[in-house]
Amino acid sequence: VSSAFDFAGNLFPLSSTTGAGGYAPIGAPTSAARPAGGLGGESLEKHKTLTYLNGLSLIVGLIIGSGIFSSPSQVSSKVGSAGAALVVWVVAGILAWTGAASYAELGGCIPLNGGSQVYLAKTFGEIAGFLFTWVAVLVLKPGSAAIISIIMGEYFVRAIIGAEAETINPWINKSVALAGIAVVTFLNCISTRLGTRVNDVLMFLKFVALLGVTVTGIVVAITGYTFKGEKDVAWKAHDWFDGTSFDLSNWAVALYGGLWAFDGWDNTNYVVGEFRNPSRDLPRVIHTAMPLVILSYVLANVAYFLVLPVGEVNGSNTVAVAFGSKVFGPIGALVLALVVSASCFGALNSSTFTAGRLVYVAGKEGYVPAVFGRIGVGNEERELSTQHTRSCFSKRLRGCFGDDDMGLFYTPIYALILNGTITAGYCIVGEFATLVTFYGVAGYTFYFVTVLGLIILRVKEPHLERPYKTWITTPIIFCCVSLFLLSRAVFAQPLQTLAVVAFVIAGIPVYFWRIRGRDQARKREGDGGERPWWRFWT
Ligand code: ARG
């Protein structure tokens, strides 16, 4: 049995040209291979701060965002009936779970930060990992964050102005969204701990909200009364499977809607390297998070359908608000709008946290300019900042946003700023219908290839140490269903698919350019040369 780090020297076979001790994988000690302050320098993974609970709140916080409160209409209007919609929600949840379980295996045997990037590099060569990063850094992460932030803005403005207000200038929504992006970027720059604390609190809030929706729905269903005193709520009238569509394409589109709500299940994998005990905690996180999320989503949907007639669900982009106003009147609408925007804020926060890590890893690899792979403060500044933190705050308070041995700003600041900037850009120019499909197609292409890689690894390297091994059926199911989804997209959205393909291909020349620069830089360092300060791109 080979150990987890056996491939350390040959994860990427590119190192021979550098003469600087070879390529060290992300998270491995870099000092021997590279002079300090070069492409390596301070490293986040040295500080293993994440626990099981942090992981759980990270992933749950990211998954439960906007989707469960606004996608139900997309699902039910496509498949035609409440019963069929529930089936889609269950299928989407299980699909996400099989994906997450597969990623847990990969994360266990390659416990490094970076997610798909490292797994793809390991199975298909570095260029595959690079192409993932290329798409993820430029499109997937900021694109999804932009969508979430816009939805957050919409709900927040609605809560303030009132649910019934007709047209709201989209720029008002966008300003709130931009403010949200700035706030989470700043929070995550300050400290890792602060970001994760915010997640912990908001995760709790989300479960309470979903539980509240469920209980309310059941009470209304049993008594037949809403809290406003209205009688005869519609649920008795529905026929659960009336009007079900039998068109496969409709089901595929509905599934994309459900999958958006479950999306984000791969995100703990971006930060595996920072777990105290990754091989134990990663599978545990995934196998608690996924069933919890599936259960609460299905229950929330049942509650929606118990209270609102299918037609009303179909026609509303803001099902949660419609639900609140039906049961409790304007106050209910207001509370739910606030809850949804808080939930989106939490998802945005978690997403920013992991996106920062992704860009940071890419910076360390030389995929993006090296400055993005740096921690906010260097060693001396860190010492100062630690002392400063110590003198300013009580121990208890300090525990809330920084580890004792880490001062403030011990975070990938530059990476976070880059990510925040791109996100803001999408938020300003974004045309969201386009972005969502592009996101789905590009995202599932990489999920598919990564999980396929797991199957290939099982065959190619059967003896690789796998602290957690999922049933082989899991990745197979995931691959089949995502292939079906992707093939549908090719027919339904040929232009979008073409755009995705073109974008990925455009990454290939960039890869060769970046790698050349990186190898030259390492060679210079190996020769004891200095990197001129203005050469920020290598
Ligand atoms: N599931 C989330 C929601 O319902 C969306 C997650 C987006 N994905 C991501 N990696 N940020 O809003």
Side-chain angles (χ1 to χ4, degrees), residues 343-433:
S343 165
C344 292
F345 180 81
L348 191 61
N349 181 48
S350 315
S351 182
T352 303
F353 177 78
T354 55
R357 268 32 183 198
L358 180 73
V359 179
Y360 158 82
V361 170
K364 289 230 144 191
E365 287 318 304
Y367 294 169
V368 295
V371 41
F372 298 117
R374 291 178 58 173
I375 303 298
V377 289
N379 270 330
E380 288 144 48
E381 293 103 311
R382 187 153 73 82
E383 197 40 51
L384 274 180
S385 131
T386 309
Q387 281 167 13
H388 184 69
T389 321
R390 289 222 170 111
S391 59
C392 287
F393 303 103
S394 70
K395 185 160 170 48
R396 206 185 141 70
L397 203 59
R398 230 157 52 217
C400 293
F401 48 67
D403 266 4
D404 246 7
D405 60 339
M406 285 198 248
L408 301 185
F409 295 106
Y410 191 74
T411 51
I413 292 186
Y414 307 99
L416 285 163
I417 292 175
L418 177 71
N419 176 64
T421 313
I422 304 178
T423 307
Y426 278 121
C427 185
I428 292 169
V429 302
E431 213 272 89
F432 289 98

Side-chain angles (χ1 to χ4, degrees), residues 62-68 141 144-145 148 260-264 266-267 297 347 351 439:
L62 211 149
I63 295 179
I64 305 180
S66 58
I68 184 57
K141 289 309 262 166
S144 58
I148 299 173
W260 165 256
F262 282 107
D263 195 65
D266 62 323
N267 273 263
Y297 276 17
S351 182
Y439 178 80

Side-chain angles (χ1 to χ4, degrees), residues 114-118 120-121 125-144 270 355 357-363 365-369 372 418-419 422 426 438-439 442-443 445-446 450 498-515:
S116 279
Q117 178 189 316
V118 272
L120 286 172
E126 188 174 11
I127 187 163
F130 175 87
L131 290 178
F132 167 76
T133 306
W134 164 250
V135 178
V137 168
L138 289 178
V139 180
L140 295 180
K141 289 309 262 166
S144 58
Y270 291 127
R357 268 32 183 198
L358 180 73
V359 179
Y360 158 82
V361 170
E365 287 318 304
Y367 294 169
V368 295
F372 298 117
L418 177 71
N419 176 64
I422 304 178
Y426 278 121
F438 190 89
Y439 178 80
T445 306
F446 283 104
T450 307
L498 214 64
V500 173
V501 174
F503 193 81
V504 173
I505 291 176
I508 295 175
V510 182
Y511 168 76
F512 287 107
W513 167 58
R514 291 300 321 167
I515 292 310

Side-chain angles (χ1 to χ4, degrees), residues 471-515:
W471 297 319
I472 188 69
T473 40
T474 313
I476 293 178
I477 293 175
F478 183 84
C479 282
C480 293
V481 182
S482 41
L483 203 58
F484 157 75
L485 273 175
L486 288 171
S487 64
R488 282 283 139 180
V490 172
F491 296 115
Q493 311 267 359
L495 280 182
Q496 300 252 354
T497 317
L498 214 64
V500 173
V501 174
F503 193 81
V504 173
I505 291 176
I508 295 175
V510 182
Y511 168 76
F512 287 107
W513 167 58
R514 291 300 321 167
I515 292 310

